[in-house]
Structure formats: C-alpha cells, structure tokens
Amino acid sequence: MLLAAGLLLLVGLGWTDVSAPDEPRYLQVAEEMRALEHGPRGLLLLHLNGEPYTQKPPLYYGLAALFGSPFGRVDETTARLPSALAGIATVAVTALLGTRMLGPAAGLLGAALLLTTLEFSTLARRIQLDVLLALFETLALATFWQVDRKRLSARAGALLFHVFLALGVLTKGPVGWLLPVLTVLGFLAWERRLGDARPLFPIHGLLLSVVPGVAWISAAISLAPSGFADEAVTTNLIGRFFAGTSHERPFYYYLYQFPVDFLPWTLVFPWVFWAWRRRAFASPEAAPDAASAWRFLSAWVLASLVFFSISSGKRGLYMVPAFPAAALLCADAVRLWALRHGRLPKGLVVAMAVLAGLLGVTGLLAIGVGLAPPFLPEGLAQFAAAVHAERLVAFGVCVVLCVGLGSAAFARSAPVAEMPLRRFWIAVAGAFGINACVFAFLLPALDPIRSPRPIAEAAAALTPEGGRIGLYRESPMIGGIRYYGGRPVAHLETPEQVAEFVAGGGQAIVVKSRKLERLNAITPVRAAARIRPGSRQVVVAVPDAPPVARDASAQ
C-alpha cells in the first residue's frame, strides 16, 4: 500500500505548473520565506508580494521552504512535497488505525479507498494545507483511540495528542484543534462516558496544544504593521466562520458536495447506512469493539459535517480530514456485506458498471477532442488548440484501456467464498489506474490553460527590469504573476491606482478579457497579448496613449 501511495502521489509532482485557486499564492509565500526577502522576521510574519500575508499559519510554508532550500528556490516539486508526504503518511496511519479498530482486511481496504479517492489524491499532489492537516488530525485521533482502548498510557497519550493538535493549529489555525476535540467529546458523549475525557486534557497538555499557535500569532502581530490583527483574526478567522467573508455557501452545501468529493466510493454509501444500524447501534454484548469503532468513526465524520455546515464559509476540501474515517466505514461496510452474502451487493455492481461506462465515454471524448477533427464546435476547437492535444489523446486511450481491462477482469472473476472481496479489489485497482491517468496525462494536457506562467512571462517581457507588473482587480493571480514573472505586482483596485500606475511609467497591466472595457474607461489601453481561450481569457494590456484626466467615478 505504501508503494502504491508513493507511486501515485510522488511521481511527476513537477510535471505541471501551479494553478488556481491556492497553489500560486502558497508557492510565492514559501519562496519569499526561503529567500528571506524580509529578513529573519519573514520566518514568523509571512509575506506575499512583499505585503504581510494574513491568511494562514506558517508550518506548511516553512516545510516547503525547507525542501526548496538545497536547490536555491522553492519550485513546484518541493512546494508540493509536504502534501505528498503527508498523503502517504495519512494512508499508512489509516491502514494501521483501521487494523486496530476493525481488523487487517478493513484497515488495508480503507487505506486503499482513501488513496484512490480522486479528491484526496489530487489534493495530495497540490500545494495545499488540508492533507497535512488531515495527517495531524488523524494522528491525534489515532492516539486517542489507543488511549481509550488501554493500549497506551493516559500520560503519554495526552502528550502525543496535544503535540498533534499543536501541529494542526500551526498548519491551518484553530480548526486543527477544534475538530479532533469535538470528535472525541462527541464520541464519548455518544457512549455516555464523558468523564473519560478528563485524563486527556491536563493543564500542561492544553498549554502544549494552544501556546505554539498563540505565540506565533502574537509574534506576527508584533512584527506586522497596524491592521494586521484585524485582518488576520477578525476578518479571516471570525468573519470567515460567522459572516462568510470567503466562500459563502448554504448550510446544506456538504449534503451534496461531500458525496461528490468522495467519488468514486460514494457508491458504497448506501451499504454504509445499511451497516451503520447493525454496527453503531449494536448491543454492547454483541460486538463491543466493532460498535465502538463505528461510533468513533461516525463521530469523526459527523463532527466535521456539523461544524462546517454551521460555518458560513465553506469549501469541499474542508472535509478532507474526515476522509480517513469515511474510507474505513466504507471498507468495513463492504466487507461486512461480502462476508454475510458471499458476494458484492448487486446495486453496487450496477453502480460501478455505470460509472465505468461513463469513464469510458469520457476517454473516447478526450480522444476525439485531442485529435481535433474539423467538425468540432468552435468552443471545443479553441480548447483543443490551446491544450497539449497529444497528452489529451494519451489520457483518453489510457482511460479506455483501464476501463476495458478492469471490466474484463471483473467479469471473469467469479465470487469465491474464501475471497468475497476479490471483485471489489479489482474496482479499487481500476480507480488507481484512472487516477494515474489523470495525473500522468490529463493535468499536463490542461496545463497551458491552467498555468499562470504564460500570463506572467508575457507581462514580464513588457516590463523593464526593476519595474512592476500591473494587475487589475484579480487578487488571486498575484502569487502566480509574481513567481513566474519575477517582477513585483502592483495590485490595482481603483481608477486612481490605475491612473497612478500608468502615470508612473507602468507598461503592462494584466486584466481579465471581460474587464478590458472597464479598464479602458479609466485609461486608454490596447491588448498586447491574449492568453487562454473562451471566457477565461486574460489580456496583457499596455497604454495606448498618454493618460488623460478622467473622473474617478467613470468606472
């Protein structure tokens, strides 16, 4: 399993440039930290494009900077290494925890389901904080389980538990502390033994898990200019949760987003609900360890679902730390059914066949678009011209082969009493192959329309050494343009800032194509380069004439 995880998550980490929404920003933050552009204080007070960065704690960026230091630059590979290594470690911890809770068959299968969930493996190959957070939360909860089952002393367990909580806080803030604690308390309340939580929360343990995060934010505030505390704490922490200052979604968002993100193993959910009644609500005399394990894993998933559903700001990837628990529940549910009936559920077989058919059609469409026949609609023709067509064709061929070989193996493999899960493992192997196709061919094929590099290089070619690249309104593009363009970025939000930039000799302004007319209403510009097709087109504009005085309200 570790070999499979290493192959899927490590091979070709640098085959693609960074892409929106988070990677370009996180890469540039890590590079400014490594280069000590802002002196030693930049190790505590993070910066993006020379400005204090208020979004996240420093642990992930520090690891990326550490991996990049021997090479003199944080590149795509070294910046993604913390995620990839955390992904492999999370798969390993899931296998070990599942083995202790539900037996080796469920533990190994749960780890395989986690690895082959497309969202998890994709995020583990990106510059993303959530897989590292998932590792620390999984380690903390695995430690609690060992203590609760009397396999680890309460003193040593409490120490480890709070170390992992502290690392979670330094990765993504208070959520790294809250979710494991809510899971533990919810589980113990379910079992009507809340008093058992007391040994896990000694005063020194709480200090160990809380003080590092508080010390970091205090140091950052002391080093930052005025307004940093309000932005970092009030807006990005409290405002994100209560007011939805970022990624506001309805309360039921995860009822549909979580099943989408957990594909393909969402197909197993109906049998998880079937097993849940038999496992989580089993009588204590029937199977006490299995019942407790199911209640614990259920509390793990439910704590995240409830917490993030209450929050106003929501993103699908916030649920990633709950994926190990969901994978183990799916694995044990399928195992339980197969042992009881000697075969897989017919409904699951049909659902997998439908999904395989859809994937096969997707592969054929990729081949068709990649070959770019003359009768393609205009939009698809532009898309085919912009991407690496030969890699898109290779992706399609790879998917069709995976689906064909997997379906043939599945059809020829009859259920065997000694190996009732043999067919399901064939489906897992197929999912592994599809993920590998995505990472080896599809994402590299799409790189030209996802990467900020062509935009940044086109703007840098029009900007003299020592000058700044203008960016009209699109703040998420700052990191990518700064990193790949090698020039500071002037973020232009208002007409006055645009006029000042042009009057000061600014030469290149990056703007979304749909906003070009709005920019032209402020100062005359012309398109010097157009990058990306369709609605995602980005323009590098240059002044068309000396700026003229305009009313700032003309916008």
Side-chain angles (χ1 to χ4, degrees):
M1 186 58 60
L2 285 175
L3 177 61
L7 289 172
L8 191 63
L9 303 184
L10 287 175
V11 174
L13 274 182
W15 285 349
T16 59
D17 294 336
V18 294
S19 59
D22 299 318
E23 280 199 304
R25 181 170 67 250
Y26 293 170
L27 175 59
Q28 180 58 29
V29 170
E31 172 57 17
E32 291 188 33
M33 178 187 252
R34 181 211 62 80
L36 291 176
E37 288 186 17
H38 313 284
R41 73 187 189 115
L43 299 174
L44 292 173
L45 177 61
L46 306 179
H47 289 79
L48 171 63
N49 190 41
E51 299 293 330
Y53 182 63
T54 61
Q55 301 290 317
K56 299 292 185 293
L59 182 57
Y60 187 101
Y61 309 105
L63 291 173
L66 182 65
F67 289 141
S69 291
F71 306 99
R73 183 172 173 83
V74 181
D75 62 9
E76 294 86 354
T77 299
T78 52
R80 288 167 177 152
L81 265 180
S83 272
L85 295 176
I88 295 169
T90 305
V91 169
V93 176
T94 300
L96 294 172
L97 177 61
T99 296
R100 291 294 182 93
M101 298 177 84
L102 300 165
L108 190 64
L109 182 57
L113 298 188
L114 176 65
L115 176 63
T116 53
T117 301
L118 183 59
E119 177 77 354
F120 178 84
S121 55
T122 299
L123 291 175
R125 292 177 58 90
R126 287 178 61 84
I127 310 170
Q128 206 73 51
L129 313 183
D130 301 88
V131 177
L132 185 62
L133 177 66
L135 171 62
F136 294 137
E137 289 192 15
T138 303
L139 285 168
L141 292 170
T143 300
F144 161 75
W145 184 257
Q146 293 294 89
V147 172
D148 193 60
R149 300 294 104 176
K150 305 295 189 292
R151 297 180 184 132
L152 185 65
S153 71
R155 185 181 182 86
L159 179 66
L160 281 175
F161 181 74
H162 287 279
V163 166
F164 295 134
L165 292 187
L167 292 171
V169 170
L170 290 173
T171 300
K172 210 172 179 184
V175 70
W177 191 94
L178 282 169
L179 284 178
V181 170
L182 289 174
T183 298
V184 168
L185 296 180
F187 164 66
L188 292 176
W190 192 343
E191 296 214 326
R192 299 180 181 179
R193 51 191 185 94
L194 263 176
D196 290 354
R198 192 174 296 111
L200 201 64
F201 295 95
I203 295 299
H204 66 274
L206 291 171
L207 291 175
L208 180 61
S209 59
V210 171
V211 166
V214 172
W216 165 73
I217 191 65
S218 301
I221 289 172
S222 69
L223 294 170
S226 61
F228 177 87
D230 183 63
E231 179 73 16
V233 178
T234 306
T235 301
N236 290 319
L237 184 60
I238 299 174
R240 191 185 297 265
F241 186 88
F242 290 103
T245 53
S246 179
H247 310 295
E248 186 174 6
R249 303 289 201 290
F251 74 92
Y252 53 82
Y253 172 75
Y254 290 106
L255 294 181
Y256 62 85
Q257 189 61 45
F258 179 56
V260 169
D261 289 338
F262 202 68
L263 283 170
W265 307 122
T266 308
L267 301 179
V268 182
F269 280 7
W271 291 272
V272 173
F273 297 133
W274 167 84
W276 196 54
R277 181 171 58 85
R278 291 163 173 78
R279 287 294 210 189
F281 295 99
S283 63
E285 298 80 15
D289 290 339
S292 282
W294 268 71
R295 286 193 282 268
F296 178 65
L297 294 171
S298 300
W300 187 343
V301 176
L302 290 172
S304 294
L305 276 173
V306 172
F307 179 83
F308 289 119
S309 294
I310 294 172
S311 170
S312 295
K314 299 175 178 68
R315 292 179 71 185
L317 52 77
Y318 292 170
M319 285 295 297
V320 166
F323 278 22
L328 289 173
L329 290 172
C330 289
D332 199 46
V334 171
R335 186 185 69 87
L336 188 64
W337 177 283
L339 289 175
R340 179 168 296 191
H341 298 88
R343 56 177 173 78
L344 294 181
K346 290 182 180 178
L348 179 58
V349 173
V350 171
M352 289 192 297
V354 171
L355 181 59
L358 292 174
L359 287 170
V361 171
T362 300
L364 293 174
L365 288 174
I367 294 172
V369 173
L371 294 175
F375 53 81
L376 275 182
E378 182 181 355
L380 280 179
Q382 291 179 350
F383 171 82
V387 302
H388 291 305
E390 70 283 357
R391 292 177 182 173
L392 191 61
V393 172
F395 166 74
V397 171
C398 180
V399 167
V400 170
L401 284 174
C402 280
V403 170
L405 293 174
S407 299
F410 193 94
R412 291 176 61 85
S413 176
V416 178
E418 295 78 14
M419 294 186 291
L421 287 175
R422 180 169 61 174
R423 278 187 151 188
F424 194 72
W425 273 104
I426 292 172
V428 172
F432 181 93
I434 295 295
N435 284 357
C437 294
V438 170
F439 302 142
F441 301 114
L442 180 60
L443 295 184
L446 301 179
D447 201 39
I449 62 173
R450 299 171 76 239
S451 169
R453 185 194 295 268
I455 303 166
E457 290 179 347
L462 297 167
T463 304
E465 193 73 32
R468 297 184 302 165
I469 298 172
L471 175 63
Y472 184 58
R473 294 249 168 135
E474 302 296 326
S475 60
M477 297 176 67
I478 289 175
I481 292 175
R482 173 67 191 271
Y483 183 83
Y484 288 118
R487 306 279 196 280
V489 177
H491 187 215
L492 311 174
E493 282 280 358
T494 66
E496 291 85 359
Q497 289 174 332
V498 173
E500 181 182 351
F501 176 79
V502 174
Q507 293 297 308
I509 302 176
V510 176
V511 58
K512 286 288 183 70
S513 180
R514 63 179 181 272
K515 295 181 180 179
L516 184 60
E517 289 186 12
R518 193 182 305 175
L519 177 63
N520 213 19
I522 301 169
T523 186
V525 295
R526 59 180 175 83
R530 294 181 182 270
I531 299 99
R532 296 178 180 170
S535 61
R536 301 180 68 248
Q537 187 175 81
V538 176
V539 173
V540 180
V542 295
D544 195 30
V548 297
R550 290 175 182 260
D551 184 353
S553 65
Q555 183 189 21

